[in-house]
Amino acid sequence: MMTEPIAAPRLAANIPIEEIKAKLSDPVWRLGNLYTIVTDSGQAVPFRPNPEQWQLFRTLHWNNLILKARQLGFTTFAGVLALDQAMFNKNFTALIIAHTKNDVAKIFRNKVLAVYKALPPMVQALRPLASKTKTEMLFENGSSVSVDTGGRGGTLQFLHVSEMGKIARRFPEKATEIVTGAFQAVPNQGGIRIVESTAEGRSGEFYKMVTAALKLQQQGGRLTPLDDRLHFYPWFAKPSYAIDPAGVVIREEARKHSEELFTRLGVQLRPDQLAWYSKKLATLGDNMQREFPGWPEEAFAVALDGLIYGKEMRALRLAGRIGHCPVRPGLAVNTFWDLGVNDRNCIWLHQRVGAMNRFVGFLWDQGQGMRYYWEELEEWRRENGARWGCHYLPHDAEARLQGEEVETRKEILERMGMRNIKIVPRVADLRTGIELTKNVMPECEFDEEATQDGLDCLDNYSREWDDDAGDWARKPRHDVYSNGADAFRQFAQGYRVNDEVLPDLGSVAPTRWGRGGY
């Protein structure tokens, strides 16, 4: 890791103007010596970039992703860097995006405006303001620094997105707007984009970006101007994350983390680091992986507030219940459906293997009729040499659909050849169905490759975010993940082991396909 440059003397009133201008022409000198920041406690202190901040500065790519442990100060660094570049370049536009309006005000006030006000008067005279609002500074050289919750239009030479993971999880539409709007405002070459966050679950724009960048990095691929460079900062790289180990009882989870660090990275924790990690773990519990990860994948392995099945999915992974478990020949395959007209139609494929419920496939699509899904299932059955058990459809499968013929989706599937159909009754309270699902999940196994799309649904099924209350609402969010989770809930609400004794009628030749198109 790069060490911090030795600080040169700060500007003094008796330094000749020529010497001042020479120093101000050096961005490394400016970043290490010119600026003063305000700490969270309100104290003004000289800004001295820490090793992580210097390393980021020295290794900046056009597009940068920061996945990090907490309290490394990257938003502070981005505020100083944005201000610095705006002051010392003409017509330079810098934007910092925060995830809430309160953070917009706080970042602009403490990390941009306060830094400018603390500059020596001679520097302010050299780089005077033309105007200022509560969220934007415009300099007489045509450059500007602003802080907002989004950005679209115009051209940006510098963009920093703070806590992109939180934005993507709580406000997915806003995250998409940032990707399609603000990201596109930064030139492919000539502009700098820095996106940073702690991890926030296995979904959303930040997770997708990190996954792609990590894959490229692990494969040794060449970075193009359109690729993201992943800057990962593990907790153990920060020297201050260590305490005297005397008298500290090391938790078993901390020992396992230490062993995996050595296995994955060859990193051997010192006793003072292990003691620090164990003490932090006692406070943060499951959130430790998110807040202080040791390797990138670990950051996304945590059960988060707001995720409806987060703890259950994490428990399944820890128990080794998600892995390789293919179709078992000779055992009937059951299906569990969620039906929608404009939404995804999702289907889980299941076998009862001993005392376990094994999920061996997941199919989904949208904008298709019942014929399409049945043909997909029949193709899957033939490829896997399987035989059908029961097909569990939700209560609305008996709702009549108006085409050239008025039929229910149950009747359409029966006409296509489906047998052993069971209609799962609707629960009066959705929370009851969710609790039933949580109760049966410890008895489940999943073939990871065959059910990956379905696992994504269970991982990311979440409650709505209540912006006014600043907390997760009780109501589940209806999004691309909810349909797959609803299909799985049909298993919890409808499946009974005794159903297996029904005779396997397989499928029969379909009757004439109606012209209704559904």
Side-chain angles (χ1 to χ4, degrees), residues 82 85-86 89-96 136-138 142-146 153-159 185-187 191-192:
Q85 293 299 295
N89 292 280
K90 293 182 179 179
N91 302 314
F92 186 95
T93 304
L95 171 64
I96 298 173
E136 182 179 43
M137 300 169 61
L138 178 64
S143 297
S144 65
V145 182
S146 58
T155 300
L156 299 172
Q157 283 71 47
F158 181 90
L159 171 66
V186 183
I192 296 293

Side-chain angles (χ1 to χ4, degrees), residues 238-348:
K238 191 170 181 63
S240 62
Y241 290 168
I243 60 173
D244 184 351
V248 177
V249 177
I250 305 301
R251 299 168 66 92
E252 181 61 26
E253 298 95 322
R255 294 190 187 279
K256 289 181 179 178
H257 174 80
S258 177
E259 292 169 0
E260 191 157 4
L261 273 176
F262 184 77
T263 300
R264 285 174 173 267
L265 307 175
V267 172
Q268 182 68 62
L269 295 181
R270 302 187 311 270
D272 57 345
Q273 290 177 306
L274 187 57
W276 179 91
Y277 188 89
S278 188
K279 280 292 187 181
K280 276 289 183 181
L281 183 63
T283 302
L284 291 176
D286 289 346
N287 291 320
M288 190 70 179
Q289 293 173 300
R290 176 185 64 187
E291 304 295 347
F292 298 99
W295 56 93
E297 295 87 348
E298 184 187 31
F300 296 99
V302 66
L304 302 175
D305 292 340
L307 293 181
I308 292 173
Y309 299 132
K311 292 182 179 179
E312 289 74 21
M313 294 301 292
R314 183 172 185 268
L316 286 172
R317 287 187 169 89
L318 290 175
R321 297 284 174 80
I322 299 176
H324 181 62
C325 46
V327 178
R328 183 71 66 87
L331 296 180
V333 176
N334 307 302
T335 66
F336 299 90
W337 297 56
D338 181 68
L339 301 172
V341 177
N342 299 315
D343 297 330
R344 291 181 172 190
N345 280 5
C346 298
I347 308 168
W348 286 90

Side-chain angles (χ1 to χ4, degrees), residues 42-175:
Q43 182 181 7
V45 298
F47 177 64
R48 296 285 189 265
N50 61 38
E52 293 84 5
Q53 292 166 345
W54 276 123
Q55 184 185 43
L56 173 66
F57 180 71
R58 299 292 192 182
T59 58
L60 277 175
H61 182 56
W62 307 115
N63 301 320
N64 303 272
L65 281 177
I66 301 174
L67 178 62
K68 61 183 180 64
R70 291 198 61 185
Q71 299 176 339
L72 296 181
F74 285 113
T75 298
T76 297
F77 180 73
V80 173
L81 183 58
L83 177 65
D84 176 86
Q85 293 299 295
M87 287 196 303
F88 293 95
N89 292 280
K90 293 182 179 179
N91 302 314
F92 186 95
T93 304
L95 171 64
I96 298 173
I97 294 179
H99 78 293
T100 67
K101 292 181 179 179
N102 287 338
D103 284 329
V104 167
K106 183 178 179 180
I107 290 173
F108 182 77
R109 182 177 64 249
N110 294 341
K111 303 184 186 303
V112 180
L113 181 60
V115 177
Y116 178 77
K117 287 184 173 181
L119 285 169
M122 68 183 76
V123 177
Q124 292 189 37
L126 288 171
R127 294 293 184 268
L129 286 174
S131 64
K132 176 182 69 67
T133 69
K134 292 183 178 180
T135 60
E136 182 179 43
M137 300 169 61
L138 178 64
F139 293 92
E140 288 188 358
N141 66 359
S143 297
S144 65
V145 182
S146 58
V147 185
D148 206 337
T149 57
R152 176 177 286 275
T155 300
L156 299 172
Q157 283 71 47
F158 181 90
L159 171 66
H160 174 71
V161 184
S162 177
E163 293 297 349
M164 180 66 169
K166 285 185 171 62
I167 295 172
R169 183 159 173 256
R170 296 177 182 178
F171 314 109
E173 297 83 5
K174 184 188 296 183

Side-chain angles (χ1 to χ4, degrees), residues 315-385:
L316 286 172
R317 287 187 169 89
L318 290 175
R321 297 284 174 80
I322 299 176
H324 181 62
C325 46
V327 178
R328 183 71 66 87
L331 296 180
V333 176
N334 307 302
T335 66
F336 299 90
W337 297 56
D338 181 68
L339 301 172
V341 177
N342 299 315
D343 297 330
R344 291 181 172 190
N345 280 5
C346 298
I347 308 168
W348 286 90
L349 289 84
H350 158 273
Q351 287 185 307
R352 180 75 176 185
V353 181
M356 297 302 295
N357 295 295
R358 177 175 293 180
F359 290 86
V360 294
F362 180 83
L363 304 177
W364 74 271
D365 212 318
Q366 61 189 92
Q368 304 290 342
M370 291 296 100
R371 182 187 191 110
Y372 168 83
Y373 295 105
W374 180 243
E375 289 177 347
E376 287 288 301
L377 285 173
E378 283 286 80
E379 182 179 353
W380 182 94
R381 180 184 63 81
R382 289 188 293 268
E383 289 178 353
N384 289 275

Side-chain angles (χ1 to χ4, degrees), residues 362-509:
F362 180 83
L363 304 177
W364 74 271
D365 212 318
Q366 61 189 92
Q368 304 290 342
M370 291 296 100
R371 182 187 191 110
Y372 168 83
Y373 295 105
W374 180 243
E375 289 177 347
E376 287 288 301
L377 285 173
E378 283 286 80
E379 182 179 353
W380 182 94
R381 180 184 63 81
R382 289 188 293 268
E383 289 178 353
N384 289 275
R387 65 183 182 89
W388 295 127
C390 296
H391 303 280
Y392 295 80
L393 307 182
H395 67 96
D396 53 355
E398 293 188 308
R400 296 205 168 271
L401 302 168
Q402 182 69 53
E404 289 190 20
E405 299 178 9
V406 179
E407 291 182 284
T408 68
R409 281 170 283 195
K410 175 177 180 288
E411 291 169 345
I412 293 171
L413 289 168
E414 285 176 328
R415 179 158 49 75
M416 291 303 302
M418 180 184 282
R419 294 295 179 264
N420 286 352
I421 296 177
K422 288 185 172 291
I423 300 299
V424 179
R426 181 176 186 175
V427 291
D429 188 339
L430 179 57
R431 288 173 296 179
T432 301
I434 289 173
E435 285 304 311
L436 287 172
T437 305
K438 290 183 176 183
N439 291 339
V440 301
M441 288 179 81
E443 303 169 2
C444 297
E445 297 175 334
F446 299 82
D447 187 274
E448 186 168 22
E449 182 177 353
T451 64
Q452 186 57 65
D453 289 336
L455 291 170
D456 285 345
C457 294
L458 296 178
D459 277 326
N460 297 300
Y461 185 44
S462 69
R463 299 195 295 273
E464 291 277 7
W465 176 256
D466 186 334
D467 201 17
D468 293 332
D471 200 356
W472 297 100
R474 301 179 71 178
K475 179 183 177 182
R477 174 184 288 159
H478 183 70
D479 57 15
V480 295
Y481 304 112
S482 59
N483 298 108
D486 287 343
F488 190 81
R489 181 164 49 82
Q490 304 310 306
F491 159 71
Q493 293 175 192
Y495 178 72
R496 300 293 180 270
V497 176
N498 290 338
D499 291 346
E500 299 290 348
V501 303
L502 290 174
D504 176 33
L505 302 180
S507 57
V508 299

